[in-house]
Amino acid sequence: MAKNAPTPARDAHDVRDARETDPLAALGVLPGVPEAVESVRKAVDAVYGHRVMRRRSAEVTSEAALRGARASAALAGADWPLEEVRRRSDFSADDQARTVGAALRVTAEAGLLLDVWRRSPVQALARLHLVAAAGSAGQETVGRPRLAGESVAEPLTGMERIGLPDAAEVAARLEGLAALLLDGSSAPALVVAAVVHGELLTLRAFGSCNGLVARAAQRIVLVGAGLDPKSICPAEVGLAELGRAEYLGALESYASGTPQGMAAWIAHCGRALELGVRESVAVCEALQRGAA
């Protein structure tokens, strides 16, 4: 929201000071980012103001979780129709079914972890991975960041173009990310959520399910920061709609570490969130017509 957006730095000295005291806030004033933040805020405000939300917000939340989980699974290579996800009860038949089951579990778990996230983001991430990877092979690696020499299974085609940090770098960057989150930031929720999402997916901190975990962590940030307190804006839907190739391209921009790249990633996450909002507006309209 504009009134909460950081004031643009006047010169290089101001930018340097902002980076030193609040690195996330410095990202919030990159070219194009304030506009993305404002656009997202307007979209979110509109869906929260929908008349259906006054009486049936729990139904919208439930539907947003289902659609978000389906989309997150699609990004992980299991692109099932929504009605198939809704119909199925057994998610153990094959790799795609297990991916959809993992997405459903981790999305549900994200809604329970806000208090843990506020105390210990790394502990919350470990729990998300434990839930996502339950029942998979290599259980000794589940629920903890990978160690030296351990491999990573990442279904997003093209991720090999983004260098895989070693285990020592993963540990250091996770610690740094957690410290930033615990210190707090004046950065808009979109910026913080995008950085958490991009950092986790770039690091591939776990041996598997990194995309599912990263997208669930973004959901927790958006809820905890108050942008989407009822979790009705499934950004995963927008990411899937924009496509895996565009997702990977934006992530490569983030991984570059340049101001332009970071701004491009944040803008991509903003567009995805707006598309997720549009999905929930459609749900509200269907509920109002009695069609859902």
Side-chain angles (χ1 to χ4, degrees), residues 57-67 230-232:
S57 64
E59 293 172 74
V60 181
T61 295
S62 178
E63 189 66 19
L66 181 69
R67 294 179 184 220
K230 294 183 183 292
S231 196
I232 63 167

Side-chain angles (χ1 to χ4, degrees), residues 19-199:
R19 286 174 178 163
E20 290 172 356
T21 59
D22 190 349
L24 295 177
L27 299 177
V29 299
L30 291 174
V33 173
E35 293 81 2
V37 168
E38 177 66 10
S39 184
V40 164
R41 169 53 71 186
K42 287 181 178 178
V44 172
D45 284 349
V47 71
Y48 269 87
H50 197 286
R51 61 187 303 178
V52 165
M53 288 297 295
R54 292 197 294 270
R55 297 176 290 107
R56 305 179 69 177
S57 64
E59 293 172 74
V60 181
T61 295
S62 178
E63 189 66 19
L66 181 69
R67 294 179 184 220
R70 189 219 71 81
S72 192
L75 290 165
D79 192 0
W80 285 16
L82 180 62
E83 290 311 312
E84 178 70 6
V85 179
R86 202 188 302 277
R87 180 186 67 81
R88 289 283 286 267
S89 58
D90 177 15
F91 295 98
S92 61
D94 52 38
D95 286 346
Q96 285 210 355
R98 284 188 285 273
T99 296
V100 175
L104 290 167
R105 290 193 304 273
V106 79
T107 299
E109 189 69 17
L112 306 175
L113 287 178
L114 183 55
D115 287 343
V116 178
W117 180 269
R118 286 170 170 159
R119 295 194 308 270
S120 173
V122 175
Q123 182 182 346
L125 291 171
R127 175 63 187 171
L128 287 172
H129 186 252
L130 182 66
V131 169
S136 63
Q139 287 295 295
E140 68 279 359
T141 68
V142 171
R144 63 160 174 79
R146 57 187 168 86
L147 303 178
E150 292 180 344
S151 61
V152 176
E154 178 49 62
L156 184 60
T157 304
M159 280 294 290
E160 64 277 2
R161 301 204 299 266
I162 300 174
L164 182 68
D166 62 27
E169 184 178 349
V170 167
R173 286 171 63 175
L174 278 179
E175 182 179 351
L177 178 63
L180 281 177
L181 295 170
L182 292 172
D183 285 345
S185 173
S186 64
L190 171 64
V191 172
V192 179
V195 168
V196 167
H197 181 178
E199 188 72 358

Side-chain angles (χ1 to χ4, degrees), residues 4-17:
N4 291 329
T7 303
R10 291 184 297 274
D11 53 36
H13 177 73
D14 289 343
V15 171
R16 185 167 57 252
D17 286 348

